[in-house]
C-alpha cells in the first residue's frame, strides 16, 4: 500500500503556506511549489483547497499544475527512478534498461510501486550524453549502464 501523504498535518502545513501568500500578487506558483514539497504532488484535493482559499478558479490551477513539469498530480515514491531516453541513451540501450527496471520493481513507466517505494519515469535528455545510457535515483546518477547493472542499483534502495 502506498504511503498516505494526505494527512491532517500536511494539510495544516498547506494552510500555513496559503496564509503566507494570500493577498500577495502572484501567489499561485509559490503555493503550488510548496504544496508539491509538502505532499509530493498537487493532486486534485490539494488544488481544490488552494482554489477555495486563494479564490482562484480550479481550472486555472489545474492548467498551471499540468503545464509545468515540476508538478505531479500523483504522489511519487520515496525513490524516483528516471531513465534518460534522449537520443544518445536510447541508441545505447536505455529502453532495455527501463524494461528491466519495470520488471524488477513491478511497475510500469509513469507509475509508483504498490508499497510507495519506487516511481519509474522516462526522462528526456539530462545532459550526461557522455555517460549514456544514464539513470537517476533521486539525486544519484548512474552512467554507462548495462541491463546487468540494474539489479545491483535497485538493491541499494530496497
Amino acid at each position: 500500500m502506498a504511503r498516505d501523504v494526505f494527512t491532517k498535518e500536511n494539510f495544516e502545513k498547506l494552510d500555513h503556506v496559503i496564509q503566507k501568500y494570500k493577498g500577495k500578487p502572484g501567489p499561485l506558483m509559490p503555493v503550488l511549489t510548496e504544496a508539491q514539497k509538502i505532499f509530493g504532488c498537487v493532486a486534485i484535493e490539494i488544488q481544490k483547497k488552494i482554489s477555495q482559499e486563494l479564490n482562484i478558479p480550479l481550472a486555472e490551477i489545474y492548467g498551471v499544475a499540468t503545464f509545468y513539469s515540476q508538478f505531479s498530480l500523483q504522489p511519487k515514491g520515496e525513490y524516483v527512478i528516471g531513465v534518460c531516453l534522449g537520443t544518445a541513451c536510447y541508441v545505447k540501450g536505455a529502453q532495455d534498461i527501463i524494461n528491466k527496471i519495470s520488471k524488477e520493481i513491478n511497475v510500469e513507466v509513469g507509475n509508483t510501486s504498490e508499497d510507495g517505494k519506487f516511481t519509474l519515469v522516462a526522462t528526456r535528455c539530462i545532459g550526461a550524453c557522455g555517460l549514456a545510457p544514464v539513470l537517476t535515483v533521486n539525486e544519484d546518477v548512474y552512467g554507462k549502464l548495462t541491463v546487468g547493472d540494474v539489479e545491483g542499483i535497485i538493491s541499494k534502495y530496497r
Side-chain angles (χ1 to χ4, degrees):
M1 180 84 181
R3 58 198 165 115
D4 184 20
V5 295
F6 302 107
T7 64
K8 182 180 177 190
E9 179 182 296
N10 281 349
F11 275 103
E12 288 172 357
K13 288 178 187 176
L14 179 60
D15 283 335
H16 179 73
V17 168
I18 290 170
Q19 292 311 309
K20 178 179 171 183
Y21 291 99
K22 195 172 191 171
K24 293 184 179 179
L28 185 55
M29 285 300 287
V31 170
L32 283 174
T33 300
E34 291 298 318
Q36 177 83 25
K37 288 178 187 173
I38 294 167
F39 294 94
C41 69
V42 287
I44 195 70
E45 298 90 338
I46 298 162
Q47 293 175 51
K48 285 178 182 176
K49 174 134 182 91
I50 294 169
S51 172
Q52 291 167 349
E53 297 294 325
L54 294 179
N55 199 27
I56 297 173
L58 182 58
E60 181 179 334
I61 295 171
Y62 181 81
V64 170
T66 56
F67 179 80
Y68 292 100
S69 63
Q70 77 253 34
F71 299 125
S72 173
L73 300 184
Q74 298 176 348
K76 294 198 187 279
E78 181 180 352
Y79 300 106
V80 178
I81 303 170
V83 180
C84 178
L85 292 181
T87 303
C89 289
Y90 188 81
V91 299
K92 290 194 174 189
Q95 186 63 53
D96 293 336
I97 290 168
I98 207 167
N99 292 344
K100 175 68 173 174
I101 294 167
S102 178
K103 190 178 277 187
E104 185 72 21
I105 64 173
N106 194 31
V107 69
E108 295 296 317
V109 174
N111 293 313
T112 300
S113 59
E114 284 289 318
D115 62 2
K117 191 113 174 153
F118 297 104
T119 298
L120 178 59
V121 295
T123 67
R124 300 184 190 273
C125 181
I126 64 169
C129 303
L131 297 175
V134 176
L135 74 78
T136 59
V137 181
N138 293 350
E139 302 301 317
D140 300 332
V141 179
Y142 299 90
K144 298 194 178 207
L145 299 171
T146 66
V147 171
D149 297 325
V150 169
E151 287 183 44
I153 293 169
I154 299 299
S155 69
K156 293 179 184 180
Y157 301 95
R158 288 204 182 217

